[in-house]
């Protein structure tokens, strides 16, 4: 029999009733307010009053705990990721490089892999299957994609879904439950002091030789070194201030009539998609550094050589103000800089290493010199002490020094203490136990 209604419930109160038309039981729960200002009422139904009562109570608990999905647009993973990229994390909210990493993960991996799922239906298993698929994809650099690429996709979807949870578009983040691939830490072996000296001597035979002295002695990041301008240096006072980082150029076609070139960077009328530089990676990255006298001499010599290049280039010279430039004054491209680093290693007869390993080497030299950790953090531009453990490496020389100290403590012959005898004679050894 249909329940007789005795009046309306107060505003915001949940209601349970039996329909007079179909005989089913229904419940309505107010969980919030819609974007238009009207109450957001959610509906549940069941075969009897007890079932509907349980559903109403569950919905009320979810509302009170903040786990009810927000009313409005039914997002797909693709539509949410695009909205997140274009409206939430677009620069200047984050750095250009961080945005580029997110953009690649979204465009290349996440949208093609899971973009069709409804956002509130995405499961951890969907993500784990995607990670395995990414790692099985062939690449130009090797047979399969590295775990680091899959992990970047994981970090990206996790960050995007965290925002969706905070905005109540979903009630939980499945990326927090998904197991990401394990990324093996790269075992970096910094160059020894003698090897650094060899690299610096070899660099003197190349153009922009001071570039590598800055990397190996000061530990500047590639972008920081290439972003240096002469106004950042005071060679008389012997100081340098890191203010900006050179970005890798990105281009698009600017031709009205197709030029026939595949890549925008090869277009005769190419248009830049990003600025030349950006602020430093973090607040700690903006820092002042003292310059060794020898490095001051190299930079003065470099300034003189650049002045000669300016004369030779004549009208072709671009007065950009950068310390390290092309022969016509343009800022160096990070890709060309990487190639020159590899050529330097080959000319010096050194083992292959990443350009960023020069930064590890500089940090380890500071460790060898016994520079206090807080001072090292200021020089390297680190914002936390965890970076010191990551960049400073215990070299063979340090290990040998520790071994000698341990050996001297445990095996060095000790002087036998002596006491006076009963008759007052001195120098009687204490019997061994």
């Amino acid at each position: 029999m249909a329940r007789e209604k005795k009046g309306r419930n107060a505003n915001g109160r949940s209601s349970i009733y039996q329909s007079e038309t179909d005989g089913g039981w229904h419940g309505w729960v107010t969980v919030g307010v819609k974007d238009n200002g009207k109450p957001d009422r959610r509906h549940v139904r069941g075969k009897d009053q007890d079932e509907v009562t349980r559903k109403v109570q569950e919905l009320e608990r979810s509302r009170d705990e903040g786990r009810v999905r927000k009313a409005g647009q039914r997002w797909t993973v693709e539509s949410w990721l695009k909205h997140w990229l274009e409206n939430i994390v677009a620069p200047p909210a984050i750095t250009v490089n961080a945005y580029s990493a997110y953009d690649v993960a979204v465009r290349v991996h996440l949208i093609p892999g899971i973009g069709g799922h409804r956002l509130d239906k995405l499961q951890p298993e969907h993500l784990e299957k995607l990670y395995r698929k990414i790692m099985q994809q062939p690449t130009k650099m090797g047979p399969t994609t590295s775990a680091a690429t899959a992990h970047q996709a994981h970090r990206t979807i996790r960050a995007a879904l965290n925002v969706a949870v905070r905005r109540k578009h979903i009630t939980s983040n499945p990326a927090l439950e998904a197991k990401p691939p394990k990324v093996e830490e790269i075992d970096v072996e910094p160059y020894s002091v003698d090897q650094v000296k060899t690299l610096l001597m070899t660099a003197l035979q190349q153009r922009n030789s001071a570039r590598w002295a800055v990397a190996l002695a000061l530990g500047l990041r590639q972008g920081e070194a290439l972003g240096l301008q002469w106004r950042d240096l005071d060679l008389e006072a012997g100081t340098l201030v890191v203010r900006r980082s050179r970005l890798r150029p990105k281009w698009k076609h600017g031709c009205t009539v197709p030029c026939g070139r595949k890549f925008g960077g090869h277009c005769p009328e190419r248009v830049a998609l990003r600025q030349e530089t950006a602020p430093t990676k973090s607040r700690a990255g903006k820092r002042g550094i003292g310059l060794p006298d020898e490095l001051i001499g190299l930079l003065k010599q470099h300034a003189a050589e650049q002045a000669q290049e300016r004369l030779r280039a004549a009208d072709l010279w671009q007065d950009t103000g950068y310390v390290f430039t092309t022969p016509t004054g343009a800022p160096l491209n990070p890709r060309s800089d990487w190639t020159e680093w590899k050529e330097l290693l080959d000319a010096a007869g050194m083992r292959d290493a990443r350009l960023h390993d020069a930064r590890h080497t500089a940090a380890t030299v500071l460790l060898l010199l016994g520079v206090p950790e807080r001072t090292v953090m200021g020089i390297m531009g680190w914002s936390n002490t965890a970076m010191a453990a990551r960049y400073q490496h215990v070299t063979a020389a340090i290990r040998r020094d520790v071994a000698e100290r341990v050996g001297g403590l445990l095996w060095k012959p000790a002087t036998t203490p002596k006491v006076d005898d009963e008759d007052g004679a001195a120098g009687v050894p204490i019997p061994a136990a």
Side-chain angles (χ1 to χ4, degrees), residues 224-236:
E224 293 173 344
L226 300 187
L228 283 176
Q229 296 183 357
W230 285 111
R231 59 191 175 96
D232 302 323
L233 277 66
D234 186 341
L235 297 182
E236 298 306 316

Side-chain angles (χ1 to χ4, degrees), residues 1-5 15-27 46-49 52:
M1 176 181 294
R3 178 177 63 87
E4 179 182 355
K5 291 188 176 181
S15 59
I16 299 174
Y17 65 91
Q18 186 178 25
S19 172
E20 296 179 354
T21 55
D22 61 11
W25 284 86
H26 300 263
K47 61 183 179 180
D48 54 41
Q49 186 175 7
V52 173

